[in-house]
Amino acid sequence: MPPKFSLQSVLDYHHRRVEIIEGELGRLVQARHEALGVLESLNLEQERMLMELSELQSGEMDLSSITQTRFNLRRTQNDIEKQEYIIQSFDKLIESKQAELVQAKQDEAVFEKLKEKEMAKFMERVNSQEKILQDDIYVSKAHRQPVSGREE
């Protein structure tokens, strides 16, 4: 039975850390995706208002409707700018979280490598002990067998 890795608790910590960061990254990506959906809706709303404004400005003009539509259009444009800023913020957070994840995976890999080396040393010792036992068995069998040429 292989021995327990002496730094297993440290390895477990790094593994949990990687899982936590992956979860955080997933939530950030999902939030960015939702923010893109909001931006797309705002862009569609802006297009709709531009078409509405175009229709209001042709033919008989209703100045109060035109004013209200322009006001709504400016508000939507401001919302679009805010949403684009939010998406840029998510992009920066995601990039930072990805770098953190890479570092956490590298840290975990260091301890995995140490575990592999420790296991390899253990297996080397076991194999060495098995060879010694096999040699001992061979030598003991050789000494127990009668030597046919020595009888007088």
Side-chain angles (χ1 to χ4, degrees):
M1 171 175 258
K4 183 172 165 79
F5 177 50
S6 60
L7 297 173
Q8 187 63 45
S9 60
V10 178
L11 177 59
D12 291 344
Y13 164 78
H14 284 285
H15 182 70
R16 281 190 305 274
R17 184 168 173 250
V18 166
E19 288 177 342
I20 288 168
I21 294 171
E22 286 175 336
E24 291 170 348
L25 179 60
R27 285 187 289 280
L28 284 171
V29 169
Q30 179 62 32
R32 182 186 185 279
H33 179 72
E34 291 170 6
L36 282 172
V38 171
L39 178 62
E40 186 177 332
S41 296
L42 287 170
N43 282 328
L44 290 173
E45 181 66 16
Q46 180 183 24
E47 286 178 29
R48 186 195 62 74
M49 281 191 264
L50 286 170
M51 300 263 298
E52 181 182 334
L53 186 60
S54 177
E55 290 172 9
L56 287 171
Q57 290 176 342
S58 62
E60 191 176 313
M61 290 192 203
D62 181 1
L63 292 179
S64 66
S65 293
I66 292 173
T67 303
Q68 184 62 44
T69 303
R70 283 185 177 166
F71 173 78
N72 291 341
L73 184 58
R74 272 189 245 115
R75 189 178 64 213
T76 301
Q77 288 169 336
N78 286 337
D79 290 345
I80 288 172
E81 289 173 7
K82 288 177 189 174
Q83 201 63 27
E84 288 172 342
Y85 177 78
I86 289 170
I87 291 169
Q88 288 174 355
S89 297
F90 277 127
D91 289 342
K92 289 176 186 174
L93 288 171
I94 288 169
E95 184 179 326
S96 172
K97 194 58 71 173
Q98 286 172 333
E100 186 179 350
L101 179 60
V102 166
Q103 183 61 49
K105 283 186 176 187
Q106 287 174 347
D107 293 345
E108 180 185 30
V110 166
F111 287 96
E112 283 289 343
K113 191 73 172 171
L114 286 173
K115 182 178 181 177
E116 289 171 10
K117 285 182 180 180
E118 192 172 296
M119 181 55 75
K121 285 180 184 178
F122 171 77
M123 292 307 295
E124 190 177 297
R125 283 192 307 266
V126 167
N127 289 336
S128 174
Q129 289 172 351
E130 283 179 358
K131 285 180 184 178
I132 290 171
L133 287 173
Q134 287 174 352
D135 288 347
D136 288 347
I137 291 170
Y138 176 76
V139 167
S140 117
K141 282 183 180 180
H143 285 297
R144 277 192 268 158
Q145 293 177 353
V147 179
S148 59
R150 290 174 58 191
E151 291 182 298
E152 296 179 328

